[in-house]
Amino acid sequence: MSFFTQIADALTSATATCSFNEVRKVRTTADPSMAPEDALQLLKEGNQRFVDGQPLGSKTQNLQRHQLVDQGQAPHTAIIGCADSRAPLETIFDAMPGDIFVLRN
């Protein structure tokens, strides 16, 4: 098997195992408001992904960051949390950029 065939096979295999569908859309001001129950459900699902070690929030793409810059962010939740950096709320709730507004006390 040639070197290029091996590279092509490796890239095809890596692409097949990566789940690009798992990248969540970022919330912008173009999105409608969210019911409190739906926001709570997103937080619970995000925390479960964190506990399971399968986060999605860190899988952002350039397009998503540009959407936040161009359209503004629309957090679904505001959280008052601890200033302790060992418990970053964005991480433990597996939030996408702009999903939650965090005030660290």
Side-chain angles (χ1 to χ4, degrees), residues 2 8 11 35-36 38-39 43 48 51 54 57 59 61 65 85 90:
S2 77
L11 289 173
D38 296 336
L43 292 174
Q48 190 60 55
V51 169
Q54 300 176 339
K59 298 178 183 180
Q61 300 169 349
R65 288 186 284 277
S85 64
E90 297 89 342

Side-chain angles (χ1 to χ4, degrees), residues 24 27 39 42-43 73-79 88-104:
R24 283 196 313 112
R27 285 188 47 79
L42 282 178
L43 292 174
Q73 57 188 342
H76 57 70
T77 304
I79 302 174
L89 296 172
E90 297 89 342
T91 302
I92 63 173
F93 288 117
D94 189 33
M96 295 297 286
D99 271 356
I100 57 178
F101 178 80
V102 177
L103 174 63
R104 289 182 173 83

Side-chain angles (χ1 to χ4, degrees), residues 1-13:
M1 183 181 295
S2 77
F3 172 75
F4 294 110
T5 303
Q6 290 175 340
I7 294 292
D9 288 346
L11 289 173
T12 302
S13 173

Side-chain angles (χ1 to χ4, degrees), residues 22-73:
E22 292 184 18
V23 176
R24 283 196 313 112
K25 179 183 173 301
V26 293
R27 285 188 47 79
T28 67
T29 55
D31 293 311
S33 61
M34 181 177 285
E37 299 81 16
D38 296 336
L40 180 59
Q41 186 62 34
L42 282 178
L43 292 174
K44 287 179 177 181
E45 290 169 0
N47 184 248
Q48 190 60 55
R49 285 191 304 274
F50 169 75
V51 169
D52 294 342
Q54 300 176 339
L56 301 177
S58 59
K59 298 178 183 180
T60 58
Q61 300 169 349
N62 261 349
L63 176 61
Q64 293 169 308
R65 288 186 284 277
H66 286 288
Q67 287 173 332
L68 290 172
V69 170
D70 295 341
Q71 299 175 11
Q73 57 188 342

